[in-house]
Amino acid sequence: MLNPQPIPSYLIQSEAVRERFDRLKSREVILEVRDLDKRFESAQGECTALNGISFKTHRREFVCVIGPSGCGKSTLIRILAGLERQTSGSVLLDGKPVEGPGADRGMVFQGYTLFPWLTVKKNVMFGLKMNGHSSMHAERDALQWLDLVGLTKFANAYPHQLSGGMKQRVAIARALANRPRILLMDEPFGALDAQTRAKMQTHLLDIWRNIDVTVLFITHDLDEAIFLADRILVLKANPGEVQELIEVPVPRPRDYSQATSPEFLATKARLEALIHPPTAAGEEDDVVKPHMVRMTDVTDNVE
């Protein structure tokens, strides 16, 4: 009789965490991706960016997508937003095929993408008015969303008068103003300094807890993914494929003291092993190492 294999430490969950995942999985599926492929034509021939991507996201779930450079994270989220077309496969939102951009999906990019000639309030009003709301209705809703993201005092300011974190809060308010079913975020905090980024992560969780929205969040930061997500979709590169879908065992509500907890550290170790697997002896690494030339005549070494 074979000895049973030990359960990986990153999958060991408390009873409260297990109950939370059971409740999550009992909710309806908002987003379903089936056998998604994306291929591009290049000078070297056909290039496969995404291959056979399949996963489901439940209502009010927070999913992060991570993977090495070139795994197709941004391509995936642009397809989900309807900004690009897949080569094959399907994307279903509430059971209906995604065939282009729509108000049922909100999108926040890494860049601040605000209209510089409009005030903060009018930036948030823009999508509402484009969807047929009256100016009075749009202004009322915009002010409610600005209050939610803590920017009521800056309603009449212009984007150039705001800090980076404040600009992204405006972008989040604008994306949520049309009450989308899912909020798609493509490394939205990647350009922020570490302190502002940490504040924005906490602020995003506060927003998510208070509204009925599902979040799919692209990031390259492992700590950010663990801090934010219910589940983490790990992609591998060349081509982009689903490597693993990890349930984060860190209890909610989250705070930064949990970054040194056994659950957090075990999950991070697992993610690092998936994204940066050790190279076996005799195997070539995919990364081309630079040819280092010594360009100093000093006699002392730094190591």
Side-chain angles (χ1 to χ4, degrees), residues 22-267:
D22 289 341
R23 289 195 303 270
L24 188 153
K25 291 175 181 177
S26 69
R27 299 174 190 156
E28 68 266 33
V29 172
I30 296 296
L31 177 72
E32 183 173 3
V33 178
R34 299 176 180 170
D35 299 319
L36 190 73
D37 292 350
K38 179 64 177 180
R39 296 185 290 275
F40 296 97
E41 292 295 334
S42 68
Q44 290 74 38
E46 189 176 73
C47 173
T48 301
L50 298 171
N51 181 51
I53 303 292
S54 296
F55 65 94
K56 296 178 181 179
T57 302
H58 298 265
R59 175 174 166 262
R60 298 207 70 213
E61 185 177 9
F62 201 125
V63 176
C64 282
V65 181
I66 66 168
S69 178
C71 70
K73 298 186 295 291
S74 292
T75 300
L76 172 62
I77 203 167
R78 288 179 63 83
I79 292 173
L80 301 183
L83 301 175
E84 290 189 25
R85 290 285 297 175
Q86 65 269 29
T87 305
S88 61
S90 60
V91 177
L92 303 176
L93 186 65
D94 288 324
K96 299 177 183 178
V98 170
E99 297 178 345
D104 51 5
R105 281 149 288 143
M107 183 78 179
V108 179
F109 300 90
Q110 181 174 341
Y112 301 127
T113 62
L114 300 178
F115 300 123
W117 60 89
L118 295 180
T119 64
V120 165
K121 180 176 66 177
K122 289 185 177 179
N123 262 284
V124 180
M125 289 172 60
F126 181 82
L128 292 164
K129 294 182 71 173
M130 290 293 291
N131 282 318
H133 294 284
S134 67
S135 294
M136 183 180 298
H137 183 189
E139 181 176 11
R140 183 194 65 201
D141 279 11
L143 289 174
Q144 289 178 343
W145 286 107
L146 289 176
D147 181 56
L148 180 69
V149 300
L151 290 175
T152 301
K153 294 181 180 179
F154 297 88
N156 295 315
Y158 286 87
H160 73 271
Q161 298 172 309
L162 306 180
S163 68
M166 292 165 71
K167 290 176 184 176
Q168 281 300 58
R169 279 191 274 166
V170 178
I172 292 170
R174 185 176 64 179
L176 292 173
N178 283 311
R179 301 183 182 275
R181 294 287 284 161
I182 188 166
L183 179 63
L184 305 170
M185 309 185 80
D186 189 5
E187 299 198 50
F189 307 148
L192 303 177
D193 64 85
Q195 186 177 10
T196 304
R197 185 171 188 153
K199 289 180 180 178
M200 287 300 299
Q201 291 165 1
T202 301
H203 203 73
L204 178 60
L205 288 180
D206 288 339
I207 294 170
W208 170 68
R209 277 194 293 266
N210 285 286
I211 60 175
D212 185 3
V213 71
T214 301
V215 181
L216 193 141
F217 188 105
I218 302 290
T219 182
H220 63 272
D221 187 293
L222 304 187
D223 291 277
E224 182 171 69
I226 299 168
F227 183 72
L228 294 175
D230 291 312
R231 295 189 297 163
I232 301 174
L233 181 69
V234 185
L235 300 182
K236 64 178 183 179
N238 303 315
E241 295 178 339
V242 174
Q243 194 167 9
E244 195 163 322
L245 187 57
I246 293 177
E247 294 181 349
V248 178
V250 181
R252 293 192 187 276
R254 306 255 171 92
D255 61 65
Y256 291 108
S257 67
Q258 294 168 300
T260 56
S261 68
E263 298 92 346
F264 197 105
L265 295 175
T267 305

Side-chain angles (χ1 to χ4, degrees), residues 12-23 249 251 263:
I12 298 174
Q13 301 171 353
S14 68
E15 184 176 347
V17 171
R18 187 68 264 159
E19 289 177 356
R20 177 166 60 83
F21 277 112
D22 289 341
R23 289 195 303 270
E263 298 92 346

